[in-house]
Amino acid sequence: MEVYLIRHTTPFIEKGICYEQSDLEVDVNHFESELKIIQEKLPPDFDAVFTSPLQRCTTLAEKMSLNSISDNRLMEINFGEWELKKWNEISKEQLQDWTDDLVHYKPKNGESLLELNTRVEIFIEELLQSNHNKILLVTHAGIIRCFWKYILKIPLKNCMKIPVDFGEVLALHLDKKNGLSMDYSKTIKDWKSSLLLYLYFKSKAICAGMLPASVFHFSLPSLSKQYTYPEDT
């Protein structure tokens, strides 16, 4: 089974605000241009299109299929009472507690990274039992990072360091024998250089804490940056 994941396009919200499971509209100033780029990276049709029910995803999914399937398990992590607060308005003590235990900590009325990952793994296991040949998932950065964790077999906390851009497309192969794996040719199909392909996956490994940044002999600060929510809104 071919599985394509897309992170939603740019949402309409000012920077510096925690909005994980808040239901935001897309930024109409960017949507059409981002949609065009996404469509160029995708095949023309799918057996099924699954989407997070949040409108920044459903707006994109509706451009891909008139019969998209909404699934709550594809929603972003729920940050409870932190939602729609400015990051600098959240107490430093709470943020430190979260940083100290990214896997288990959850804001009041929210959910933990472990709970997010659990629903992603349940969704993947259900896909393994389905008969689809080619599907599309329109979702969020947190969900895509959990897919990366599943593929790379890294500690859950390390997946939070992996950068995922708005409109980023990830192509995967899923089967009952081998599970979930990366489809390199489709994910990087617009990259002509094998060197760029090599650097891309090295950078992903560095961001996941699997390799030291010293594997590069020149500076790539944007690829090896540490992940924080305020920089990834």
Side-chain angles (χ1 to χ4, degrees):
M1 180 194 308
E2 295 178 40
V3 181
Y4 291 80
L5 285 91
I6 307 175
R7 185 186 182 190
H8 59 81
T9 59
T10 304
F12 184 69
I13 191 170
E14 63 180 282
K15 291 186 177 181
I17 294 179
C18 174
Y19 64 81
E20 308 310 311
Q21 209 172 93
S22 299
D23 198 8
L24 306 175
E25 297 179 354
V26 300
D27 188 335
V28 295
N29 294 317
H30 297 281
F31 182 72
E32 291 299 330
S33 59
E34 291 176 334
L35 173 63
K36 182 179 180 181
I37 294 171
I38 291 169
Q39 289 175 325
E40 290 173 351
K41 297 178 180 179
L42 296 174
D45 51 51
F46 297 92
D47 299 341
V49 175
F50 296 89
T51 180
S52 158
L54 300 180
Q55 60 182 316
R56 59 187 185 270
C57 289
T58 58
T59 300
L60 178 58
E62 288 167 1
K63 295 292 185 178
M64 307 299 173
S65 171
L66 296 177
N67 300 300
S68 60
I69 303 166
S70 179
D71 194 308
N72 288 344
R73 292 171 297 183
L74 296 178
M75 294 175 73
E76 184 58 282
I77 192 170
N78 180 3
F79 266 6
E81 66 177 11
W82 289 6
E83 294 280 341
L84 296 181
K85 283 187 177 181
K86 292 184 177 180
W87 284 99
N88 59 17
E89 293 176 348
I90 301 170
S91 76
K92 292 181 180 180
E93 292 77 13
Q94 289 181 0
L95 289 173
Q96 188 60 54
D97 289 343
W98 172 54
T99 302
D100 291 342
D101 191 0
L102 287 172
V103 174
H104 301 99
Y105 181 84
K106 55 183 175 182
K108 185 177 179 180
N109 300 321
E111 69 178 327
S112 67
L113 178 58
L114 181 61
E115 290 170 326
L116 173 68
N117 186 68
T118 298
R119 57 180 163 95
V120 170
E121 290 192 345
I122 292 172
F123 183 84
I124 292 172
E125 292 303 316
E126 286 189 13
L127 285 183
L128 278 169
Q129 304 306 315
S130 71
N131 296 317
H132 296 303
N133 293 314
K134 189 188 304 178
I135 65 169
L136 175 66
L137 311 179
V138 184
T139 185
H140 307 267
I143 300 295
I144 295 173
R145 289 187 176 101
C146 289
F147 269 82
W148 271 115
K149 181 264 179 190
Y150 195 98
I151 296 166
L152 298 174
K153 296 178 173 57
I154 57 175
L156 181 56
K157 65 179 182 180
N158 287 354
C159 77
M160 301 304 288
K161 303 174 184 178
I162 298 176
V164 183
D165 295 330
F166 294 125
E168 183 169 323
V169 177
L170 178 63
L172 307 174
H173 182 76
L174 182 67
D175 63 59
K176 295 179 181 179
K177 180 179 179 180
N178 300 309
L180 191 65
S181 60
M182 186 77 171
D183 192 330
Y184 303 96
S185 63
K186 292 185 175 64
T187 298
I188 320 294
K189 66 181 181 181
D190 54 338
W191 287 18
K192 305 302 182 183
S193 169
S194 60
L195 174 61
L196 288 177
L197 176 63
Y198 169 82
L199 293 178
Y200 177 81
F201 287 102
K202 284 289 188 181
S203 71
K204 288 290 188 183
I206 286 173
C207 291
M210 298 176 66
L211 291 172
S214 59
V215 297
F216 288 115
H217 298 291
F218 50 92
S219 176
L220 286 175
S222 63
L223 292 178
S224 58
K225 71 178 183 179
Q226 294 295 303
Y227 169 79
T228 60
Y229 264 94
E231 293 178 0
D232 199 57
T233 54

